[in-house]
């Protein structure tokens, strides 16, 4: 992918008025472990949520996916029993409720590459008659075509003679009903191998590329959980370029969670949201970082500057929290 095209894609994902269906804001209420009300605002088609382990990133992502898929989130998880949500969505420049947006093509997908790839490998290695599943399936050679092959090679950082895959459905149980790809790649020296013989980083890259190019429908809402797992820093950067390109060209609205500073550097400070726990309440809340050091601190990658505010009484503490939340929520 040429540098000019990459830059165009990243500029494009910020032009939200070009997206026929887009999120303006989401408000969560009553989710266990979170502040009473948590609000997410969006100013880009790609938004990253970061934070340390245990602050609730997966809970938040699963809540949002359930909210847009089922509408009723109370039965999806024990933490959601007393919860509710509201979303401001623009579809063709008109505000509409989530159920109307999803019914009109704003389909919702959840992608967790590390978990999916691990499950695929475990299934393949435990199935004796796997070759029978391939009988009657057509091989897909789109990744070997001149348009996509250089992109895949650049993503992974190696050359291929050919990349083919088969899409296998209804074989491996999956809560989201996905098929899965079975890859057969051939190197320029003539050697070839499949899913079970390749490294997890290579498989994860191929899997995400397959999911975005072949499985997801245009104009959809995509949740991606920690795409950096198993993947080198080089491939993380190339992967985000691919996501940005497809987001703009296919009008995909993307929300992802990550621990990776490389992915966050691609997304940009304006489109990063930090999920962290308030010390006093031990509940998670969202803040918008004003500086790179804020999200690096949230990931534990830079030293925090510690200090103490001393107030006279409980009322003063509430007033101070209110001021900080309005002006610099990261301090909380």
């Amino acid at each position: 992918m040429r540098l000019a095209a990459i830059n165009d894609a990243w500029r494009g994902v910020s032009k939200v008025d070009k997206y026929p269906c887009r999120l303006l804001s989401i408000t969560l209420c009553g989710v266990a472990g979170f502040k009473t009300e948590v609000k997410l605002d969006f100013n880009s088609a790609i938004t990253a949520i970061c934070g340390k382990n245990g602050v609730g990133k997966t809970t938040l992502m699963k809540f949002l996916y359930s909210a847009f898929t089922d509408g009723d989130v109370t039965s999806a998880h024990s933490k959601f029993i007393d919860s509710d949500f509201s979303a401001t969505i623009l579809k063709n420049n008109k505000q509409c409720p989530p159920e109307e947006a999803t019914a009109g093509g704003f389909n919702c997908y959840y992608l967790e590459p590390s978990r999916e790839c691990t499950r695929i490998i475990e299934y393949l290695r435990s199935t004796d008659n796997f070759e029978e599943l391939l009988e009657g399936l057509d091989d897909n050679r789109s990744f070997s075509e001149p348009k996509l092959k250089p992109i895949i090679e650049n993503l992974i950082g190696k050359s291929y003679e050919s990349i083919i895959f088969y899409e296998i459905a209804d074989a491996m149980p999956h809560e989201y009903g996905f098929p899965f790809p079975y890859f057969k790649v051939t190197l320029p020296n003539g050697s070839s191998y499949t899913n079970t013989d390749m490294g997890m980083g290579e498989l994860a890259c191929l899997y995400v590329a397959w999911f975005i190019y072949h499985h997801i429908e245009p104009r959809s809402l995509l949740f991606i959980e920690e795409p950096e797992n198993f993947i080198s820093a080089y491939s993380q950067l190339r992967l985000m370029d691919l996501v940005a390109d497809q987001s703009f060209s296919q009008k995909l609205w993307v929300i992802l969670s990550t621990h990776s500073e490389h992915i966050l550097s691609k997304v940009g400070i304006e489109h990063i949201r930090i999920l962290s726990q308030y010390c006093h309440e031990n509940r998670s809340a969202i803040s918008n970082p004003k500086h790179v050091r804020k999200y690096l601190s949230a990931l534990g990658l830079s030293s925090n500057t510690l200090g103490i505010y001393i107030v006279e009484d409980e009322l003063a503490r509430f007033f101070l929290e209110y001021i900080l939340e309005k002006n610099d929520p990261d301090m909380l």
Side-chain angles (χ1 to χ4, degrees):
M1 198 181 303
R2 293 181 297 106
L3 180 60
I6 292 171
N7 292 335
D8 286 344
W10 281 109
R11 282 192 293 268
V13 298
S14 295
K15 299 176 180 177
V16 293
D17 57 318
K18 301 294 184 181
Y19 285 70
C21 203
R22 63 186 189 270
L23 298 177
L24 297 184
S25 66
I26 299 174
T27 303
L28 297 69
C29 299
V31 180
F34 287 74
K35 287 197 71 179
T36 304
E37 182 177 284
V38 176
K39 187 172 182 179
L40 269 169
D41 295 307
F42 302 92
N43 53 16
S44 168
I46 299 179
T47 302
I49 300 171
C50 69
K52 295 178 181 177
N53 291 330
V55 297
K57 296 188 301 300
T58 297
T59 299
L60 177 61
M61 295 281 283
K62 292 290 178 67
F63 178 93
L64 295 176
Y65 175 78
S66 298
F68 280 92
T69 303
D70 304 324
D72 179 16
V73 296
T74 56
S75 60
H77 194 284
S78 59
K79 292 184 176 181
F80 306 160
I81 292 176
D82 299 318
S83 65
D84 194 9
F85 93 109
S86 61
T88 304
I89 303 173
L90 284 186
K91 181 180 177 184
N92 298 324
N93 293 319
K94 294 182 179 179
Q95 189 169 327
C96 68
E99 58 271 19
E100 183 178 323
T102 53
F106 198 42
N107 298 317
C108 193
Y109 295 85
Y110 199 98
L111 175 59
E112 191 176 355
S114 59
R115 181 167 177 262
E116 300 303 326
C117 290
T118 300
R119 291 179 61 187
I120 290 170
I121 294 300
E122 290 175 350
Y123 173 78
L124 293 176
R125 289 177 175 168
S126 63
T127 304
D128 296 328
N129 61 341
F130 176 73
E131 291 296 329
E132 295 179 7
L133 295 175
L134 300 181
E135 294 179 1
L137 296 180
D138 295 328
D139 60 345
N140 190 309
R141 297 179 177 268
S142 59
F143 282 0
S144 295
E145 295 174 356
K147 180 180 179 180
L148 286 181
K149 186 165 170 281
I151 296 176
I152 303 300
E153 291 176 327
N154 183 53
L155 168 62
I156 298 173
K158 66 190 300 184
S159 298
Y160 297 97
E161 183 65 28
S162 66
I163 310 168
I164 67 173
F165 62 85
Y166 302 84
E167 291 186 342
I168 301 173
D170 303 323
M172 183 178 69
H174 196 296
E175 62 265 40
Y176 303 136
F178 294 169
F180 71 89
Y182 181 69
F183 294 101
K184 289 186 177 180
V185 301
T186 302
L187 301 180
N189 63 8
S191 63
S192 61
Y193 52 93
T194 67
N195 294 34
T196 55
D197 303 310
M198 65 179 62
M200 289 299 290
E202 183 177 8
L203 177 58
C205 288
L206 289 172
Y207 183 83
V208 174
W210 164 79
F211 193 97
I212 291 179
Y213 280 116
H214 288 279
H215 183 70
I216 191 171
E217 296 180 8
R219 302 184 179 188
S220 295
L221 172 59
L222 173 60
F223 295 94
I224 310 177
E225 186 168 350
E226 297 181 5
E228 69 272 13
N229 290 345
F230 301 135
I231 299 178
S232 68
Y234 167 87
S235 291
Q236 290 176 33
L237 296 173
R238 304 290 84 76
L239 181 64
M240 288 309 300
D241 291 338
L242 185 154
V243 170
D245 177 69
Q246 287 300 288
S247 170
F248 186 59
S249 63
Q250 300 300 312
K251 298 300 178 280
L252 305 176
W253 199 271
V254 181
I255 302 173
L256 61 90
S257 66
T258 182
H259 291 116
S260 170
E261 71 272 28
H262 307 294
I263 288 178
L264 294 174
S265 70
K266 277 289 186 180
V267 174
I269 190 72
E270 302 89 351
H271 317 308
I272 294 171
R273 304 294 178 262
I274 297 176
L275 189 61
S276 53
Q277 288 186 331
Y278 281 51
C279 296
H280 180 74
E281 299 177 349
N282 201 31
R283 290 175 175 266
S284 295
I286 289 282
S287 62
N288 301 355
K290 303 294 192 300
H291 192 276
V292 171
R293 64 180 172 83
K294 290 292 187 181
Y295 71 70
L296 291 178
S297 295
L299 297 175
L301 297 175
S302 65
S303 59
N304 289 309
T305 301
L306 300 179
I308 298 175
Y309 284 102
I310 299 177
V311 294
E312 185 174 8
D313 52 28
E314 191 75 355
L315 179 60
R317 181 180 70 80
F318 282 124
F319 185 56
L320 176 61
E321 284 187 358
Y322 174 81
I323 293 173
L324 291 177
E325 187 167 13
K326 292 296 183 183
N327 294 279
D328 193 355
D330 297 304
M331 283 192 177
L332 293 174

